[in-house]
Amino acid sequence: MFCESSKELAHFVSEARAFTNQGKVADYIPALGKANPHDLSIAIKYPDGRYVSAGDVKKKFTLQSISKVISLALVLSDHGPDYVFDKVGMEPTGDPFNSIAKLENMVPAKPLNPMINAGALVVTHMIEGKSVDARFQRLLAFIHDLTNDYTIDYCEQTAQSEYETADLNRALSYFLKQHGQIDEPVEHLIQLYTKQCAIEMNCLQLARIAMVFAQDGKDHETGKQIISKDIARICKTFMVTCGMYNASGEFAIKIGIPAKSGVSGGIMGAVPGKFGIGIFGPALDDKGNSIAGLKLLELLSKNYSLSMF
Ligand code: DON
């Protein structure tokens, strides 16, 4: 039996919140530097529609790298796995998310997986549409389906802040373009990618997306199969092997669920066959994962035996 009461969850949140003191909010994207490092909230969404939550769960945050799982699900649905995995690999890197190191040694320059920035840029490049805006609207429409919430949009200020400072992602994109892995103007790709990363939601909405992945791509509340079972499986597998970057191995041992983090402090966790988790805690550890969010998941995993291993 998992946590059924918000009161019970609040107890774990207050225990994990102490760890926010040991983390730091991301400020390499200046807009993210304004977050309150002591925030910590969690929502759990069950397939029957119930939510259990604790903390300020209505506070919005940007998805950042969590969006990489969603864009991957979209391009896999549009193009199929053979096309996508011809351009981006399936292996963890053990390197930081924005590293260029392994890309240089790959022939052809194929990013090792879609959860690192190089791989995510190749995936975003595959989003179809006639213009950057049309492609972005396509991704947003997919998120509207996943959340069953048509109000979700992006934070223009955060997108602009990242766009103005995204030189490392530009460097990765130019490298990929030189090696034929992308064939559009780098500025277009960076515009689309920074908007994608700036899509904004709260823990309740994130938990709902996680629940769809947990339930093999189906939203049991609406009865809609939003992602195929096979694509949900592929995405969850990447979440296990690469979702927490170069902390994925430790996360698998200590917590043991498919999860994806973002530098805004969000974590999306999908407990297979059971429920979805959305967490927001902007103080990060040195690998870019929410420090208190990880602690909270560790407490929950131990208490309720969540590990799938
Ligand atoms: O590309 C970037 O640097 C950010 N938009 C996203 C990075 C990120 O969230 C990595 N997460 N832990």
Side-chain angles (χ1 to χ4, degrees):
M1 196 62 184
F2 187 63
C3 188
E4 294 284 334
S5 92
S6 292
K7 201 170 156 204
E8 204 173 312
L9 206 51
H11 162 78
F12 291 112
V13 168
S14 68
E15 194 174 336
R17 200 189 298 275
F19 289 82
T20 60
N21 290 325
Q22 295 172 28
K24 218 175 142 292
V25 300
D27 55 8
Y28 77 98
I29 299 172
L32 297 182
K34 295 181 189 148
N36 175 356
H38 303 296
D39 276 342
L40 183 63
S41 46
I42 178 169
I44 288 157
K45 166 88 173 158
Y46 292 100
D48 63 7
R50 275 175 311 130
Y51 282 101
V52 179
S53 65
D56 187 0
V57 282
K58 296 231 168 115
K59 194 170 227 179
K60 286 189 194 170
F61 53 92
T62 56
L63 287 181
Q64 300 303 330
S65 286
I66 300 171
S67 70
K68 293 170 179 171
V69 185
I70 301 168
S71 54
L72 177 66
L74 177 63
V75 302
L76 283 170
S77 306
D78 280 352
H79 302 281
D82 290 348
Y83 179 89
V84 173
F85 296 124
D86 184 47
K87 307 248 185 272
V88 58
M90 301 183 186
E91 303 304 333
T93 66
D95 293 333
F97 62 86
N98 51 10
S99 174
I100 199 167
K102 291 227 168 59
L103 196 56
E104 222 190 333
N105 297 327
M106 299 295 291
V107 182
K110 177 173 164 176
L112 273 163
N113 70 68
M115 301 293 120
I116 51 170
N117 284 10
L121 286 160
V122 171
V123 166
T124 298
H125 172 62
M126 292 179 197
I127 300 175
E128 294 198 311
K130 287 205 166 79
S131 63
V132 168
D133 190 52
R135 289 156 78 198
F136 179 66
Q137 291 306 326
R138 173 143 179 60
L139 177 63
L140 206 51
F142 184 53
I143 288 186
H144 291 161
D145 280 347
L146 282 165
T147 52
N148 198 34
D149 185 331
Y150 295 80
T151 64
I152 289 175
D153 209 338
Y154 77 108
C155 169
E156 214 174 317
Q157 199 201 351
T158 307
Q160 185 61 25
S161 176
E162 180 169 8
Y163 183 76
E164 285 166 8
T165 52
D167 289 335
L168 206 44
N169 284 328
R170 281 188 181 84
L172 289 168
S173 303
Y174 277 113
F175 189 91
L176 290 163
K177 191 170 183 198
Q178 179 73 38
H179 290 275
Q181 300 298 72
I182 62 168
D183 60 2
E184 67 173 311
V186 165
E187 287 312 308
H188 290 182
L189 180 58
I190 297 295
Q191 274 167 24
L192 181 54
Y193 175 79
T194 50
K195 278 185 166 183
Q196 167 189 317
C197 290
I199 291 171
E200 199 175 40
M201 63 182 68
N202 62 38
C203 283
L204 300 161
Q205 293 159 328
L206 186 60
R208 184 159 184 150
I209 299 181
M211 197 247 343
V212 172
F213 281 102
Q215 295 293 332
D216 295 334
K218 187 166 179 171
D219 182 338
H220 285 276
E221 249 187 290
T222 61
K224 280 195 211 163
Q225 185 78 40
I226 299 168
I227 309 166
S228 77
K229 186 174 176 181
D230 197 47
I231 291 175
R233 179 188 63 79
I234 293 171
C235 291
K236 277 181 286 190
T237 311
F238 275 121
M239 287 161 78
V240 169
T241 56
C242 320
M244 309 303 282
Y245 300 106
N246 43 334
S248 298
E250 187 178 344
F251 188 87
I253 288 171
K254 289 190 174 162
I255 294 151
I257 63 166
K260 181 76 202 85
S261 65
V263 284
S264 53
I267 303 178
M268 172 170 84
V271 184
K274 293 189 176 140
F275 48 81
I277 304 174
I279 289 182
F280 174 56
L284 307 181
D285 63 16
D286 57 358
K287 291 182 176 161
N289 294 318
S290 169
I291 195 161
L294 289 182
K295 198 68 207 169
L296 180 55
L297 281 173
E298 198 180 328
L299 290 168
L300 294 175
S301 183
K302 281 213 175 92
N303 263 276
Y304 300 104
S305 306
L306 294 186
S307 176
M308 54 195 274
F309 300 106

